[in-house]
Amino acid sequence: MSESSMLKRFEDKIQREIKIEPRDWMPDEYRKTLVRQISQHAHSEIVGMLPEGNWVTRAPSMRRKVALIAKVQDEAGHGLYLYSAAETLGTSRKEMIDDLHSGKAKYSSIFNYPTLSWADIGAIGWLVDGAAIINQVMLCRTSYGPYARAMVRICKEESFHQRQGYEIMLTLARGSEEQKAMAQDALNRWWWPSLMMFGPPDHESKHSAQSMAWKIKRKSNDELRQSFVDATVPQAKLIDLVIPDPDLKWNEDRGHYDFGEIDWEEFWNVVKGNGPCNKQRLEARNKAHDEGKWVREAAAAFAEKQATRRKDVQQKIAS
Amino acid sequence: MSNEKDWPLWEIFIRSRAGLNHKHVGSLHAADAEMAIENARDVYTRRNEGISIWVVESKYIKASNPADEESLFEPASDKIYRHPTFYDLPDELKHM
């Protein structure tokens, strides 16, 4: 079959909502876009464990601690599902990990902000996971089968993440004056970076149009951001916290909340590696990987030895 | 950057409860089969999703070629007489 007829077949499948599977023919650019997007997504899950891991030993109660450990463990699992989905496209785990550790690959910039107080764990669950869920619910319908399946699994597991975060915020917001101030301070610091998680505005997003045409993405950055704002404002009101945006107000005509200008200069600055924690995150990842090297080597050596022994036994039985 | 090789890739199949088939759920890397089962338990059954795990090293799976889809599966599509609804029977006949 010629390339043009394969392309036609591919586009026809996309049109008819038939998922693309690993061994199906696909345009190089589709493959490349997916590898980039899925591996970035995987890296975000893995690096995302760091800001939260920071509070595991200092969680205020056993209940909070087991929930946080379970959440961080989920993120590791989510990273694995996504790396596996990316590997079906022909890249290797090693290539992806090397690109993350060398700084070549990107991950979500939100994880380059520090977790300064316990309230930040609440804010991350509520806002960061809330924003991620809006994006991921859309991706459950993405056109590439393995990515969509990973997303379905992740969305199912992740529904508790946002609830545990909101519960932390709610508890603090109804606590002492100091606790309420902690919650408000965390909201103040995490609100704008959370809005940035959806990426640059539609008119500046260079991959968006093609990704929408291929149904990798099903909604634009600005649409997703708007859904997040609309969903989150009433949640903040319910626990009596104030979203740090003087321009935020309900727009009757649009049926949505209007909100203020996002500081895109800050966004690009963090993407380029100059956020508060970029360096620290990469150092932590590299350190963990380097210090685990002997374990990986030992496991590989053990597996090889066991395999050799099995072979010897089989040969003896045969002879 | 290291010269380390990835551990082999394994495909994971989970039986969610007694009486059901094992179903493919995803894949993971592990040094050997035992480790693949341990890792599968940690990542794919954290919320009571399974009671039994099969692992198969990915390289041993032979798959049909997507390009053969028509020649393999089209022949079944016009054989409606393979389905019970093809047969005209009187309404009075119950339970068949």
Side-chain angles (χ1 to χ4, degrees):
Chain A
M1 215 185 287
S2 70
E3 173 133 352
S4 70
S5 63
M6 286 192 291
L7 180 64
K8 204 175 155 288
R9 215 172 147 147
F10 169 83
E11 284 173 343
D12 183 55
K13 272 191 184 169
I14 299 275
Q15 202 56 39
R16 292 189 296 139
E17 300 289 337
I18 295 175
K19 299 275 185 244
I20 307 301
E21 292 294 341
R23 284 159 49 93
D24 292 342
W25 185 90
M26 61 188 88
D28 286 345
E29 208 43 46
Y30 178 82
R31 188 183 296 276
K32 251 194 254 168
T33 302
L34 279 169
V35 169
R36 189 186 59 239
Q37 182 173 331
I38 300 173
S39 60
Q40 276 182 15
H41 199 157
H43 298 329
S44 302
E45 301 282 355
I46 298 302
V47 178
M49 293 193 283
L50 298 170
E52 294 189 298
N54 182 33
W55 280 90
V56 166
T57 57
R58 291 171 291 159
S61 69
M62 192 50 95
R63 184 176 186 275
R64 295 288 186 222
K65 188 169 181 158
V66 292
L68 184 58
I69 291 172
K71 181 176 188 292
V72 172
Q73 192 187 11
D74 273 352
E75 310 298 3
H78 298 171
L80 171 96
Y81 305 154
L82 287 159
Y83 282 130
S84 299
E87 281 173 82
T88 64
L89 291 157
T91 179
S92 72
R93 183 76 57 94
K94 184 182 176 320
E95 276 174 87
M96 289 187 278
I97 300 283
D98 283 348
D99 285 351
L100 171 66
H101 292 174
S102 72
K104 187 180 161 207
K106 299 284 177 226
Y107 53 86
S108 182
S109 280
I110 193 82
F111 302 117
N112 289 318
Y113 291 85
T115 41
L116 303 176
S117 81
W118 169 251
D120 289 15
I121 299 306
I124 287 180
W126 174 32
L127 302 172
V128 176
D129 286 78
I133 288 168
I134 285 186
N135 188 39
Q136 291 174 168
V137 165
M138 165 194 76
L139 289 171
C140 289
R141 297 190 299 122
T142 190
S143 57
Y144 186 57
Y147 194 21
R149 291 192 285 275
M151 279 299 123
V152 169
R153 186 175 283 279
I154 287 173
C155 284
K156 245 189 237 168
E157 296 188 351
E158 210 153 78
S159 53
F160 104 77
H161 295 186
Q162 196 186 15
R163 292 172 66 101
Q164 70 90 39
Y166 191 68
E167 195 194 70
I168 291 172
M169 290 303 261
L170 170 112
T171 308
L172 290 171
R174 293 187 179 160
S176 67
E177 276 307 307
E178 271 170 307
Q179 287 171 321
K180 188 170 179 186
M182 266 170 74
Q184 182 62 53
D185 171 61
L187 172 57
N188 291 349
R189 283 181 291 108
W190 290 94
W191 175 253
W192 291 103
S194 298
L195 293 192
M196 294 174 197
M197 281 175 70
F198 297 97
D202 293 348
H203 61 272
E204 279 175 30
S205 176
K206 56 180 178 176
H207 304 298
S208 261
Q210 183 61 75
S211 285
M212 297 274 277
W214 279 333
K215 297 186 182 172
I216 294 173
K217 287 181 64 149
R218 315 290 307 230
K219 286 179 181 172
S220 77
N221 295 356
D222 287 333
E223 272 179 272
L224 293 166
R225 190 164 14 244
Q226 183 72 60
S227 321
F228 173 72
V229 172
D230 291 348
T232 311
V233 173
Q235 295 165 357
K237 277 191 188 142
L238 189 67
I239 53 174
D240 213 17
L241 294 178
V242 183
I243 289 177
D245 178 357
D247 298 321
L248 185 77
K249 65 168 191 298
W250 179 252
N251 182 326
E252 195 63 52
D253 297 336
R254 294 201 308 125
H256 291 292
Y257 283 95
D258 289 338
F259 52 95
E261 193 64 35
I262 292 169
D263 181 358
W264 292 111
E265 205 177 312
E266 173 183 328
F267 172 77
W268 289 117
N269 199 33
V270 181
V271 170
K272 282 178 191 137
N274 305 318
C277 301
N278 297 57
K279 204 167 155 262
Q280 195 183 329
R281 300 293 183 237
L282 273 194
E283 275 170 7
R285 276 307 316 151
N286 274 294
K287 182 169 180 274
H289 193 68
D290 294 345
E291 289 179 356
K293 188 167 189 264
W294 72 270
V295 180
R296 294 191 298 277
E297 285 173 352
F302 179 75
E304 204 174 319
K305 194 166 140 192
Q306 294 295 103
T308 316
R309 276 194 189 158
R310 264 197 304 273
K311 214 188 259 170
D312 289 349
V313 171
Q314 278 162 356
Q315 271 167 359
K316 254 181 218 157
I317 293 169
S319 65
Chain B
M1 227 99 330
S2 63
N3 303 317
E4 251 182 284
K5 268 202 220 137
D6 277 332
W7 287 333
L9 190 66
W10 301 77
E11 299 302 321
I12 311 301
F13 301 81
I14 305 272
R15 185 201 295 283
S16 56
R17 57 189 166 82
L20 296 181
N21 294 323
H22 284 78
K23 196 176 159 193
H24 183 244
V25 292
S27 52
L28 51 77
H29 289 276
D32 57 27
E34 284 71 28
M35 189 196 275
I37 290 177
E38 283 161 11
N39 289 353
R41 169 217 175 247
D42 285 346
V43 286
Y44 291 110
T45 67
R46 286 200 302 284
R47 291 180 175 79
N48 304 103
E49 291 95 335
I51 56 155
S52 164
I53 299 170
W54 284 356
V55 300
V56 181
E57 208 179 324
S58 308
K59 67 178 181 191
Y60 294 118
I61 291 187
K62 178 76 185 156
S64 64
N65 185 343
D68 298 337
E69 190 182 322
E70 269 173 40
S71 64
L72 287 174
F73 308 113
E74 271 292 306
S77 66
D78 62 353
K79 296 180 177 56
I80 50 172
Y81 47 84
R82 287 175 176 171
H83 298 273
T85 46
F86 177 75
Y87 299 91
D88 292 323
L89 298 175
D91 291 345
E92 295 79 38
L93 183 76
K94 308 277 189 233
H95 312 300
M96 184 179 279

